[in-house]
Amino acid sequence: AQSVTQLGSHVSVSEGALVLLRCNYSSSVPPYLFWYVQYPNQGLQLLLKYTSAATLVKGINGFEAEFKKSETSFHLTKPSAHMSDAAEYFCAVSVQAGTALIFGKGTTLSVSS
Amino acid sequence: AAGVIQSPRHLIKEKRETATLKCYPIPRHDTVYWYQQGPGQDPQFLISFYEKMQSDKGSIPDRFSAQQFSDYHSELNMSSLELGDSALYFCASSSGGGTAYEQYFGPGTRLTVT
């Protein structure tokens, strides 16, 4: 069975600082990995996805993530945080199209001015 | 671009009542998924449908049922509601059935059971 662990339930950064949100996965088969963002009282928006193509994936809003098989990681980064990046971020894994996404517990990103 | 539509957006029910949540997927998407997100929790998968057939099943209570119709919209029927059913219910859709991995989420229906 597959699972996702997000290290750090809450991350705080200053505006303009590097954002690093950690995600480690466990899967017995090659995984497909995703990062979603959720703003308060809203749905989940797909930030980026890894589906076995390039290991460095670029997403929306300046975010990117790198798939590292040796470390079973898929950490999300952004060079310079904006106030508007404050939200809940979920890492998710799937091993077969058309089936469930398994989510991590989420990381709340706070950005201070 | 068109997104996933869910209705209603908010629903208040009493214990033991029934509720029906509706989901209209992105046009030309043939797969629908339902998730439940409790307060401060991550989304939990309930059930999915591809071409009107159940394609995957998660932790959906027996009190809940769902189906996908010929126009690809889906309904989640919830009976004998309990206080613990209070949550945000998301519908997501994807295209390509067995080939698409990314799911696009709707805004959710917030169900409150009193």
Side-chain angles (χ1 to χ4, degrees):
Chain A
Q2 62 272 22
S3 65
V4 165
T5 301
Q6 291 184 239
L7 300 175
S9 59
H10 199 157
V11 171
S12 297
V13 300
S14 299
E15 195 171 21
L18 170 71
V19 175
L20 171 61
L21 304 183
R22 300 178 186 272
C23 173
N24 287 88
Y25 70 90
S26 174
S27 177
S28 57
V29 297
Y32 296 86
L33 296 158
F34 308 85
W35 276 99
Y36 283 86
V37 61
Q38 185 177 30
Y39 297 99
N41 298 313
Q42 294 189 26
L44 294 104
Q45 181 181 12
L46 180 64
L47 274 179
L48 48 79
K49 62 184 180 185
Y50 167 76
T51 55
S52 75
T55 57
L56 182 60
V57 180
K58 294 187 183 299
I60 62 172
N61 301 339
F63 284 94
E64 63 180 40
E66 186 172 8
F67 174 73
K68 291 186 176 180
K69 184 178 179 181
S70 61
E71 299 177 7
T72 62
S73 68
F74 189 58
H75 301 332
L76 181 70
T77 61
K78 182 174 181 178
S80 176
H82 295 162
M83 296 293 287
S84 60
D85 293 328
E88 186 82 10
Y89 291 79
F90 290 97
C91 182
V93 64
S94 175
V95 294
Q96 182 178 344
T99 61
L101 285 174
I102 306 301
F103 287 88
K105 295 301 182 184
T107 297
T108 301
L109 175 66
S110 299
V111 182
S112 57
S113 57
Chain B
V4 176
I5 297 173
Q6 291 188 246
S7 68
R9 293 293 310 276
H10 301 271
L11 189 59
I12 299 175
K13 291 286 185 178
E14 295 186 354
K15 283 195 307 181
R16 293 180 289 277
E17 286 191 319
T18 61
T20 297
L21 279 54
K22 297 184 179 183
C23 169
Y24 298 86
I26 293 171
R28 291 178 295 282
H29 279 196
D30 51 20
T31 307
V32 169
Y33 312 78
W34 287 97
Y35 292 84
Q36 177 191 59
Q37 185 179 31
Q41 302 295 314
D42 54 297
Q44 295 291 316
F45 173 72
L46 294 177
I47 196 167
S48 63
F49 294 87
Y50 165 59
E51 287 290 346
K52 301 176 282 295
M53 299 291 289
Q54 182 181 306
S55 55
D56 195 10
K57 187 174 181 180
S59 52
I60 184 169
D62 292 340
R63 300 177 288 108
F64 294 6
S65 64
Q67 60 182 323
Q68 185 181 32
F69 295 85
S70 57
D71 63 351
Y72 296 107
H73 94 271
S74 178
E75 294 183 5
L76 177 65
N77 298 293
M78 311 160 70
S79 63
S80 302
L81 288 169
E82 302 173 356
L83 295 178
D85 296 329
S86 294
L88 197 52
Y89 289 84
F90 288 111
C91 172
S93 72
S94 66
S95 63
T99 61
Y101 288 86
E102 63 267 33
Q103 299 176 21
Y104 297 90
F105 284 75
T109 294
R110 184 170 296 281
L111 172 66
T112 302
V113 181
T114 62

